[in-house]
Amino acid sequence: MNPHHWPLYGLRLHTPRLELRLPDIPRTDELAAVAAGGVHDPAEMPFSVPWSDAAPEERGRATFQHVLRTIAEWRPEDWTLSLAALHEGTVIGRQDLFAADFAVTREAETGSWLGTAHQGRGFDTEMRAAVAHLAFAGLGAHSLTSGAFVENGRSLGVSRRLGYRPDGLRTLAVRGEARTLQRLRLDRAAWEERRTVPVEVRGLEPCREMFGAAPGPERR
């Protein structure tokens, strides 16, 4: 699927084991099913907005709506690229890259989740490495930001491996309790130094203006 009026459907990011792509309707339904099946231990809450507390059917529907909303509300000044991650053709999770006023700030943020059955295999590192490559090599970003609660060692470990550095703390109210979020930042120099995951980007050129990015050749 690669419609003329929405070329983002033709964008592909490839790592050694994964393909990341904007999901069409059938793939979006698969992504919703993964969310419905669970993305973390119910006793924990890794997200600042506890969307995963909803019942399975509601989680799935919310995921489906989220992807469609990102398309409907997309503007070069304010966009969210919500990609499905596929392993051997099966949807295993979601990787988001989002930004406001990217043409000015050259800064974007990442967020992601994996279905519980696919965790602990390093897929989260490949997913984040893929969108980091898209941001820096493809779109000319100056920096990426992310965040994780201080007790979320798995997410913080992914950030460290990719070269993110601490960027301050923030206190949030989650489930009626105060939680400490570690903000993280990855600049271009640190990305260049720590990039170890091979990433191939295809189909970016027709999408470039949609991101508020300057014209330029795709780089691998």
Side-chain angles (χ1 to χ4, degrees):
M1 183 178 181
N2 186 16
H4 173 75
H5 292 290
W6 209 255
L8 287 167
Y9 279 113
L11 180 64
R12 298 287 186 275
L13 313 182
H14 292 275
T15 69
R17 297 183 295 171
L18 303 178
E19 178 186 69
L20 279 70
R21 58 191 293 184
L22 182 64
D24 57 15
I25 294 298
R27 292 295 193 188
T28 301
D29 200 55
E30 291 180 40
L31 185 63
V34 176
V39 298
H40 62 80
D41 185 334
E44 303 173 353
M45 177 45 65
F47 307 121
S48 57
V49 177
W51 63 272
S52 51
D53 273 346
E57 188 68 20
E58 294 176 24
R59 281 200 305 269
R61 186 176 297 114
T63 299
F64 197 98
Q65 289 179 297
H66 166 83
V67 174
L68 298 183
R69 188 179 302 113
T70 63
I71 297 168
E73 296 180 353
W74 187 290
R75 294 182 296 119
E77 300 83 14
D78 189 359
W79 49 262
T80 296
L81 180 65
S82 195
L83 301 170
L86 285 73
H87 173 60
E88 297 179 347
T90 298
V91 176
I92 63 171
R94 194 181 90 204
Q95 175 69 60
D96 284 2
L97 178 71
F98 49 99
D101 297 312
F102 181 79
V104 177
T105 68
R106 294 295 174 187
E107 180 174 289
E109 188 171 353
T110 62
S112 65
W113 52 258
L114 278 168
T116 52
H118 309 289
Q119 295 175 9
R121 301 173 62 184
F123 292 139
D124 44 4
T125 300
E126 288 190 36
M127 289 161 59
R128 188 110 63 93
V131 292
H133 185 97
L134 172 64
F136 287 113
L139 301 176
H142 295 162
S143 61
L144 283 182
T145 62
S146 187
F149 290 119
V150 293
E151 62 271 20
N152 191 344
R154 180 181 298 171
S155 180
L156 292 172
V158 170
S159 297
R160 283 193 298 270
R161 283 192 291 275
L162 294 174
Y164 284 78
R165 296 185 174 93
D167 192 39
L169 301 174
R170 184 182 179 190
T171 301
L172 300 175
V174 181
R175 287 178 169 174
E177 298 181 354
R179 301 278 301 279
T180 301
L181 183 81
Q182 174 69 67
R183 296 197 305 261
L184 301 155
R185 180 174 295 275
L186 178 66
D187 61 26
R188 175 175 287 274
W191 170 72
E192 290 279 7
E193 179 184 347
R194 300 293 291 273
R195 56 190 292 201
T196 59
V197 177
V199 180
E200 180 183 5
V201 178
R202 297 179 181 174
L204 174 59
E205 200 57 38
C207 312
R208 194 174 294 279
E209 291 185 4
M210 299 180 70
F211 290 102
E218 293 184 36
R219 287 176 284 176
R220 297 184 180 182

